[in-house]
């Protein structure tokens, strides 16, 4: 199997969204945490990237 292909009924959906899921559209400089815990985590782990929730 070609590693750039997906398998199963959701493969096309997942592959269409893969770049965004991996952060291709992220704008790290625009991120402004509003909660103190999130702000502290962002200072400590500034390079951390999380997947987009809610798809």
């Amino acid at each position: 199997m070609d590693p750039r292909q997906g398998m199963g009924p959701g493969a096309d959906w997942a592959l269409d969204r893969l770049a965004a899921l991996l952060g291709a559209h992220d704008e790290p400089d625009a991120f402004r945490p509003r909660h103190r815990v999130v702000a502290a985590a962002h200072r400590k782990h500034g390079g951390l990237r999380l997947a987009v929730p809610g798809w």
Side-chain angles (χ1 to χ4, degrees), residues 2-54:
D2 184 335
R4 295 168 296 178
Q5 293 178 335
M7 294 177 59
D12 289 337
W13 179 90
L15 290 172
D16 288 344
R17 291 158 177 80
L18 186 60
L21 181 65
L22 296 176
H25 308 296
D26 286 359
E27 295 181 15
D29 293 335
F31 180 66
R32 301 288 183 264
R34 289 180 247 159
H35 190 280
R36 64 179 178 79
V37 174
V38 176
H42 181 61
R43 281 192 302 275
K44 187 173 182 180
H45 307 285
L48 179 65
R49 298 291 180 259
L50 302 173
V52 177

